[in-house]
Amino acid sequence: AGDKILEIKPDLIIHAGDLFDSVRPNNRAIKFALNQLLRISENHIPLILIAGNHETPKLSETGHIFSIFEHIENIYPIYNEYRRINLDLKGKKISIFCVPQFRDKDEFNNALNKMKSDSIKDNNKDYKILTAHVGTIGLYEFRMNEFNEQLLPIGMLKSDFDYIALGHFHRFVKIFDNAFYSGSTERFSFTEANDKKGLIEVILEDGRPLVNFKPLEIREMIDFEAIDCANKSSGEILESIKEKIAREDIKDKIIRLNLKNISSHIYRTLDFNEMRRILDGVLHFDIKTDILEEEIFNNYKSAHIDALSREFSKFLGNYSLSENVDKKKLLKIGLEYINKVEGV
């Protein structure tokens, strides 16, 4: 992303939150981020950097990671408060209204009220831009269902802003002609395995903005089609994995193997050393399993007992029992009792 920005050489950069994935990023992540921000600063490009929910601490005493950027020229880190940044770029007066992540709903609502008030008063600017780290709700919903998620009614985006840069939702999405999510610059789960990632180049002229999505070359993800393991030995499952792997170039990629209808005892006998040899060269791999006991659970699944029965199923799956105990039978009996107690 840093390389693409310096190739484009824009007049202004906006990052709409979640530069980091946690409140306390590791030293390597901090160093890398600092180096990229310094590259931008040295090229005299102003960068508006608002905080997202991933890097915003729940307690004020924790301190905010963005405070380390405050001394860098041309970088505007905005956290814990609403701010309006006024810039003069190529003879054009620009106001950027910044709504970062807040610790509670009252702070968020106060920020929105200040933003609306400032927007009404600010009529002497050539361009007005809003950037906010929010999910949107209404006719269409774009949210991540995460802790402390800030939600904005989609109707509030219908305004006189020349452009609205939204952060939080991981996919590139057009909300209105003047409002977009750029999406994340990396894939963070296998639900995003097929998503293109990149950044947005926005050209502000008279009328609506001209928006171009600029894709980035990033680590590839492969979420392999599930292997049905019912009635297969561990050796046969391993052969099925080899066949799938042989059809793909897996070097330096993030991959996931999906094993469905596999019994617990077969899973425990898989040759994981051989599997690692087969997957040599991948950046990272996960194994997703659908254990056969789930079939028993599905017979008793209902809206009333779903959470309790799932907890019991997980507990039993992780509990060590003597070899002469039939875990499937115990699960079946337990679910019958849960049904009975819940009155289903």
Side-chain angles (χ1 to χ4, degrees):
D3 292 342
K4 181 66 72 174
I5 286 168
L6 295 182
E7 177 188 315
I8 296 170
K9 288 186 168 61
D11 301 308
L12 170 68
I13 304 164
I14 295 175
H15 191 291
D18 290 345
L19 177 69
F20 296 109
D21 195 42
S22 69
V23 172
R24 295 183 180 86
N26 61 44
N27 290 342
R28 179 180 176 275
I30 295 170
K31 179 182 177 182
F32 185 86
L34 273 170
N35 286 339
Q36 299 307 309
L37 296 187
L38 287 170
R39 291 175 71 196
I40 290 166
S41 173
E42 289 162 1
N43 279 270
H44 307 290
I45 306 172
L47 166 60
I48 307 296
L49 182 65
I50 71 170
N53 60 308
H54 282 232
E55 62 232 339
T56 298
K58 301 178 185 70
L59 302 173
S60 58
E61 303 86 69
T62 304
H64 204 292
I65 185 64
F66 277 16
S67 63
I68 67 173
F69 302 138
E70 290 178 342
H71 66 286
I72 305 177
E73 188 179 6
N74 300 312
I75 306 299
Y76 298 84
I78 296 156
Y79 57 98
N80 297 340
E81 64 176 354
Y82 157 78
R83 282 178 62 190
R84 179 180 59 173
I85 305 294
N86 297 313
L87 298 174
D88 195 331
L89 300 173
K90 293 186 175 178
K92 299 289 185 182
K93 295 184 182 299
I94 301 172
S95 282
I96 304 100
F97 301 77
C98 305
V99 182
Q101 175 74 28
F102 291 95
R103 282 187 291 270
D104 63 57
K105 193 172 182 179
D106 287 341
E107 289 180 343
F108 175 55
N109 289 332
N110 289 337
L112 292 180
N113 291 331
K114 288 179 184 177
M115 179 268 292
K116 290 178 202 171
S117 176
D118 282 352
S119 178
I120 292 169
K121 297 173 187 175
D122 200 356
N123 292 317
N124 62 341
K125 295 294 189 291
D126 294 296
Y127 296 110
K128 291 163 62 177
I129 299 170
L130 167 64
T131 181
H133 191 84
V134 292
T136 53
I137 54 174
L139 181 61
Y140 304 104
E141 293 197 3
F142 302 98
R143 57 198 295 181
M144 299 300 292
N145 295 311
E146 295 175 340
F147 174 79
N148 205 21
E149 187 174 42
Q150 294 178 165
L151 297 175
L152 193 69
I154 208 164
M156 288 187 66
L157 298 178
K158 293 181 177 179
S159 61
D160 61 347
F161 288 106
D162 295 283
Y163 186 72
I164 301 173
L166 297 169
H168 184 56
F169 190 65
H170 284 194
R171 291 189 174 97
F172 168 62
V173 175
K174 174 183 175 180
I175 307 295
F176 298 116
D177 287 342
N178 68 330
F180 287 78
Y181 283 103
S182 64
S184 59
T185 52
E186 263 292 357
R187 299 183 179 101
F188 283 87
S189 75
F190 283 96
T191 60
E192 302 174 33
N194 297 317
D195 293 353
K196 288 185 177 179
K197 299 294 182 177
L199 45 84
I200 296 177
E201 179 188 37
V202 181
I203 300 171
L204 295 180
E205 295 175 338
D206 294 333
R208 67 185 185 185
L210 179 62
V211 176
N212 299 308
F213 180 75
K214 299 287 186 179
L216 297 172
E217 292 184 15
I218 61 171
R219 303 177 187 92
E220 288 189 52
M221 273 186 171
I222 304 175
D223 195 12
F224 282 99
E225 185 179 348
I227 297 171
D228 191 343
C229 303
N231 302 316
K232 284 186 178 179
S233 67
S234 58
E236 289 170 331
I237 294 170
L238 206 57
E239 286 303 313
S240 296
I241 292 172
K242 286 180 182 178
E243 289 174 11
K244 283 192 177 293
I245 296 297
R247 300 189 203 116
E248 297 281 352
D249 176 14
I250 62 171
K251 184 173 173 55
D252 296 326
K253 296 179 183 178
I254 300 169
I255 73 167
R256 181 167 70 175
L257 301 172
N258 294 283
L259 307 178
K260 70 176 185 179
N261 297 325
I262 184 171
S263 65
S264 298
H265 74 276
I266 290 292
Y267 179 77
R268 287 194 292 268
T269 61
L270 286 174
D271 188 341
F272 287 98
N273 287 330
E274 176 65 10
M275 199 176 295
R276 290 187 189 93
R277 189 193 65 77
I278 297 168
L279 298 171
D280 184 47
V282 302
L283 181 67
H284 176 77
F285 79 89
D286 281 340
I287 299 177
K288 180 183 178 183
T289 58
D290 175 18
I291 304 296
L292 268 176
E293 279 91 351
E294 191 73 5
E295 295 176 355
I296 301 173
F297 162 76
N298 285 335
N299 292 331
Y300 297 91
K301 185 177 178 181
S302 75
H304 297 288
I305 66 166
D306 186 43
L308 182 58
S309 54
R310 277 195 181 278
E311 286 299 316
F312 177 68
S313 180
K314 289 177 186 175
F315 168 78
L316 201 57
N318 295 325
Y319 199 80
S320 297
L321 298 169
S322 60
E323 292 182 359
N324 62 341
V325 175
D326 188 337
K327 193 177 280 190
K328 285 187 184 181
K329 187 175 180 180
L330 191 59
L331 175 64
K332 183 175 183 294
I333 294 169
L335 291 172
E336 287 174 349
Y337 276 115
I338 290 170
N339 270 340
K340 186 176 179 180
V341 171
E342 293 289 338
V344 177

